[in-house]
């Protein structure tokens, strides 16, 4: 469980670097994207470190209703920030109770890092199309911030195991500068924050994201045709 514990410690020390602010909701989406990508790559490097945490929280707080662990912590802590810092204390207790002391890297991780033939990843086909159709399944609710955190965690997991970026990934990197240019903003804010600023709420911002992303992709196709 060493790799996840190290990442969580880095996020705790500098949440702005990874998830913009101390927020349990952002943390949950980020970790979900991170672990989700490792799973998609056929990796369970730490025996799925979050496995059982949901049930552990529910039992600890005597909760029987269907709520995510992040939702339960917000309810008892009263705020996103307080729940964020409370999570780390609780997760440490959870880890100790699991008595998961073995931290050596699994053979699966070693084989993946030695293998040059990585699975191809299309950020639009594999994630964005899925989120567009069923945002609740991937994000829990219609939220552009959660989408941003999910993608950040997803990308970090790939970088950590040495998966080279595909063309769709590199193309998506240009979306940030394109959004800044479209809105005439050079504030250093993420694309999700910019779109949210010009939207009524998280839900409208998510819908607007897909409209903008489609416009961005079509613009790139038009440029390619012009170059030819």
């Amino acid at each position: 469980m060493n790799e996840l514990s190290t990442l969580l410690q880095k996020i705790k020390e500098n949440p702005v670097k990874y998830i913009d602010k101390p927020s349990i909701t952002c943390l949950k989406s980020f970790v979900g994207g991170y672990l989700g990508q490792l799973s998609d790559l056929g990796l369970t490097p730490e025996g799925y470190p979050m496995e059982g945490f949901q049930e552990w929280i529910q039992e600890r707080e005597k909760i029987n209703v269907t709520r995510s662990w992040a939702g339960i912590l917000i309810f008892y802590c009263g705020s996103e920030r307080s729940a964020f810092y409370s999570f780390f204390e609780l997760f440490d207790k959870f880890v100790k109770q699991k008595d998961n002391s073995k931290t050596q890297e699994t053979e699966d991780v070693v084989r993946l890092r030695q293998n040059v033939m990585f699975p191809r990843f299309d950020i639009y086909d594999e994630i964005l199309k899925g989120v567009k159709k069923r945002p609740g399944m991937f994000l829990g609710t219609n939220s552009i911030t959660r989408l941003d955190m999910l993608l950040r965690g997803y990308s970090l997991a790939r970088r950590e195991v040495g998966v080279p970026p595909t063309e769709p990934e590199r193309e998506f990197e240009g979306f940030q500068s394109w959004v800044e240019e479209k809105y005439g903003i050079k504030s250093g804010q993420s694309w999700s924050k910019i779109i949210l600023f010009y939207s009524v709420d998280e839900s409208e911002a998510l819908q607007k994201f897909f409209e903008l992303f489609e416009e961005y992709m079509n613009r790139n196709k038009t440029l390619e045709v012009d170059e030819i």
Side-chain angles (χ1 to χ4, degrees):
M1 195 172 291
N2 186 51
E3 290 187 14
L4 178 66
S5 298
T6 300
L7 173 60
L8 289 176
Q9 183 61 33
K10 290 179 180 178
I11 296 175
K12 179 182 178 181
E13 294 173 354
N14 191 359
V16 175
K17 177 180 179 181
Y18 293 90
I19 58 175
D20 290 342
K21 58 184 178 181
S23 163
I24 191 67
T25 300
C26 290
L27 176 65
K28 183 179 185 301
S29 296
F30 182 89
V31 171
Y34 177 82
L35 295 177
Q37 172 57 175
L38 293 181
S39 176
D40 289 347
L41 290 171
L43 292 172
T44 52
E46 300 157 4
Y48 192 62
M50 294 292 292
E51 184 177 10
F53 184 65
Q54 173 70 38
E55 294 76 13
W56 184 82
I57 285 290
Q58 287 184 245
E59 182 178 353
R60 175 186 173 86
E61 304 299 343
K62 308 302 179 185
I63 296 291
N64 295 321
V65 296
T66 304
R67 289 288 186 275
S68 69
W69 54 264
I72 294 173
L73 291 181
I74 291 176
F75 178 76
Y76 280 99
C77 296
S79 68
E80 288 271 352
R81 182 185 180 88
S82 178
F84 173 82
Y85 288 108
S86 178
F87 162 80
F88 297 101
E89 298 178 7
L90 292 171
F91 188 70
D92 284 343
K93 293 179 181 178
F94 167 71
V95 171
K96 292 175 182 178
Q97 286 188 20
K98 285 187 72 174
D99 194 25
N100 215 356
S101 59
K102 294 182 180 180
T103 58
Q104 71 178 46
E105 192 172 51
T106 66
E107 294 181 0
D108 286 341
V109 176
V110 174
R111 281 199 297 270
L112 179 66
R113 287 175 175 166
Q114 291 175 343
N115 187 357
V116 296
M117 298 299 292
F118 294 107
R120 290 192 59 78
F121 167 69
D122 188 322
I123 194 169
Y124 189 75
D125 285 337
E126 296 186 22
I127 294 187
L128 298 185
K129 281 185 177 179
V131 173
K132 186 176 183 179
K133 291 181 179 179
R134 302 181 184 86
M137 178 182 294
F138 290 88
L139 307 176
T141 186
N142 291 10
S143 167
I144 192 171
T145 300
R146 292 191 184 189
L147 173 64
D148 188 5
M149 297 304 118
L150 180 73
L151 295 178
R152 292 188 195 188
Y154 212 90
S155 299
L156 177 62
R158 290 175 63 78
R159 291 196 301 271
E160 286 190 344
V161 297
V163 180
T166 62
E167 185 59 33
E169 283 183 274
R170 288 193 291 268
E171 190 170 30
F172 185 78
E173 291 175 358
F175 184 66
Q176 172 69 37
S177 57
W178 182 83
V179 169
E180 290 177 353
E181 182 179 349
K182 184 174 182 65
Y183 285 98
I185 291 181
K186 295 293 182 181
S187 63
Q189 300 292 343
S190 66
W191 53 264
S192 61
K193 284 190 174 182
I194 295 173
I195 298 174
L196 180 59
F197 181 76
Y198 286 95
S199 304
V200 175
D201 53 25
E202 288 273 354
S203 180
E204 182 182 279
L206 182 64
Q207 181 180 351
K208 189 175 293 184
F209 160 79
F210 289 109
E211 296 172 358
L212 290 169
F213 186 67
E214 184 175 355
E215 181 182 341
Y216 167 72
M217 296 296 288
N218 290 335
R219 173 182 176 277
N220 284 353
K221 291 177 181 177
T222 302
L223 290 175
E224 291 174 1
V225 172
D226 292 341
E227 289 177 359
I228 294 176

